[in-house]
Amino acid sequence: MRSLGWEAAGAGGSAAARAAGGGRTPMARSRRSWAQLLLLLLAGPAACAASPADDGAGPGGRGPRGRARGDSGGDEAVPRHDSSYGTFAGEFYDLRYLSEEGYPFPTAPPVDPFAKIKVDDCGKTKGCFRYGKPGCNAETCDYFLSYRMIGADVEFELSADTDGWVAVGFSSDKKMGGDDVMACVHDDNGRVRIQHFYNVGQWAKEIQRNPARDEEGVFENNRVTCRFKRPVNVPRDETIVDLHLSWYYLFAWGPAIQGSITRHDIDSPPTSERVVSIYKYEDIFMPSAAYQTFSSPFCLLLIVALTFYLLMGTP
């Protein structure tokens, strides 16, 4: 009974305090305000939009939630928030808690297909080397290379009739050894990777420092084709040459085993006849071995002798 008396006395004192303080304690009013603010955030922009009833502009001077402004026991006016903030809160709530069917995550953009190499620009806006059948292009030559300046970089395009690798080497002579080599390698996963090598004698050693960037490659129609850029000027390095200087270009291609290059297809790969400057664009064709038979001096002399013999007859 004593405890009940204490509780009754406490309840009476609390009621008196609430009557003196406007109907509820500051802590209760604060909690109610926070609860109403949370409801506004979750309700979105609709709850934050103003209406005549909320503004107290209606007849009788009614305040928020329909209470008279002079009511002493009424709730305090709920703070209004800007509609843009309510919109953000509503959208955030929807995106965070609603099902993903209405708000799907954005998908990655499709990968751009490999742009075909244009040979019409050879000798005009880029330099080209073609090795193979006369009149061949980047898709039919045994080997094709192009280069052009783009700002502080040189863009290279390589293509060869192989399922393994295609490469270009920058050499101070026409011999293999001590050369900076860039190779496009077709691996077992179907990707074409650009790798950096350094020729040590007849052996190509892969170098981890790779100056290539903006790399792309494709393996189609039994051909390895790639495109990449590398800086014209590089910090001094034994394995990376400065392309602003002129070098002999070594052309090679061959098979690959598990993404590793092996010996090139032909015993004597073609090379540029003279040093190449990246600032000079030429379109140079080199006939492959199958089309060199009637161009050698000995064969020409033999053809002339046979023609003379047939015309003059036997003695």
Side-chain angles (χ1 to χ4, degrees), residues 293-311:
T293 304
F294 297 101
S295 61
S296 63
F298 176 77
C299 290
L300 291 176
L301 181 61
L302 181 60
I303 292 174
V304 171
L306 289 174
T307 303
F308 180 79
Y309 178 80
L310 292 175
L311 292 176

Side-chain angles (χ1 to χ4, degrees), residues 65-138:
R65 303 182 62 85
R67 297 183 184 273
R69 293 182 181 177
D71 292 347
S72 59
D75 297 337
E76 293 185 357
V78 179
R80 292 178 55 208
H81 292 264
D82 186 79
S83 60
S84 62
Y85 182 78
T87 302
F88 165 77
E91 291 180 353
F92 176 80
Y93 173 78
D94 292 342
L95 183 62
R96 175 64 180 85
Y97 294 102
L98 295 184
S99 65
E100 296 181 359
E101 295 180 359
Y103 298 88
F105 287 103
T107 57
V111 178
D112 293 336
F114 186 88
K116 291 185 178 182
I117 300 176
K118 298 180 180 179
V119 297
D120 295 338
D121 300 332
C122 291
K124 301 174 184 177
T125 60
K126 63 182 178 182
C128 298
F129 286 91
R130 315 184 200 202
Y131 177 85
K133 180 180 179 180
C136 65
N137 56 34

Side-chain angles (χ1 to χ4, degrees), residues 30-279:
S30 176
R31 289 179 178 175
R32 183 175 179 81
S33 297
W34 279 109
Q36 292 173 342
L37 177 60
L38 180 59
L39 289 175
L40 284 174
L41 293 178
L42 296 182
C48 296
S51 66
D54 293 336
D55 292 337
R62 307 293 291 182
R65 303 182 62 85
R67 297 183 184 273
R69 293 182 181 177
D71 292 347
S72 59
D75 297 337
E76 293 185 357
V78 179
R80 292 178 55 208
H81 292 264
D82 186 79
S83 60
S84 62
Y85 182 78
T87 302
F88 165 77
E91 291 180 353
F92 176 80
Y93 173 78
D94 292 342
L95 183 62
R96 175 64 180 85
Y97 294 102
L98 295 184
S99 65
E100 296 181 359
E101 295 180 359
Y103 298 88
F105 287 103
T107 57
V111 178
D112 293 336
F114 186 88
K116 291 185 178 182
I117 300 176
K118 298 180 180 179
V119 297
D120 295 338
D121 300 332
C122 291
K124 301 174 184 177
T125 60
K126 63 182 178 182
C128 298
F129 286 91
R130 315 184 200 202
Y131 177 85
K133 180 180 179 180
C136 65
N137 56 34
E139 299 177 0
T140 58
C141 288
D142 294 350
Y143 178 96
F144 179 90
L145 175 138
S146 75
Y147 62 90
R148 64 169 177 164
M149 289 285 299
I150 300 180
D153 298 329
V154 184
E155 181 185 75
F156 289 96
E157 297 173 315
L158 284 77
S159 181
D161 184 13
T162 180
D163 61 356
W165 57 273
V166 54
V168 57
F170 310 103
S171 176
S172 58
D173 52 28
K174 294 184 178 182
K175 300 178 181 179
M176 186 176 177
D179 313 310
D180 177 4
V181 178
M182 300 298 300
C184 305
V185 184
H186 177 222
D187 62 21
D188 292 343
N189 295 323
R191 299 172 301 179
V192 175
R193 298 175 291 108
I194 286 76
Q195 296 178 266
H196 181 220
F197 294 89
Y198 183 76
N199 285 340
V200 181
Q202 299 296 311
W203 176 57
K205 176 184 178 182
E206 183 175 1
I207 305 299
Q208 295 302 320
R209 184 186 176 192
N210 191 343
R213 54 190 173 196
D214 296 343
E215 310 166 13
E216 53 180 331
V218 65
F219 176 70
E220 290 181 347
N221 301 322
N222 201 44
R223 294 188 68 89
V224 175
T225 306
C226 66
R227 182 184 293 112
F228 62 89
K229 299 175 185 175
R230 60 175 275 174
V232 176
N233 299 303
V234 295
R236 185 175 182 83
D237 191 305
E238 180 184 2
T239 63
I240 304 177
V241 302
D242 281 335
L243 293 178
H244 75 278
L245 301 175
S246 298
W247 304 90
Y248 288 100
Y249 282 17
L250 311 180
F251 313 117
W253 62 99
I257 299 178
Q258 296 181 349
S260 299
I261 66 174
T262 60
R263 182 176 174 80
H264 37 71
D265 277 347
I266 55 181
D267 293 333
S268 299
T271 64
S272 61
E273 291 294 328
R274 57 183 181 275
V275 293
V276 179
S277 171
I278 59 172
Y279 304 104

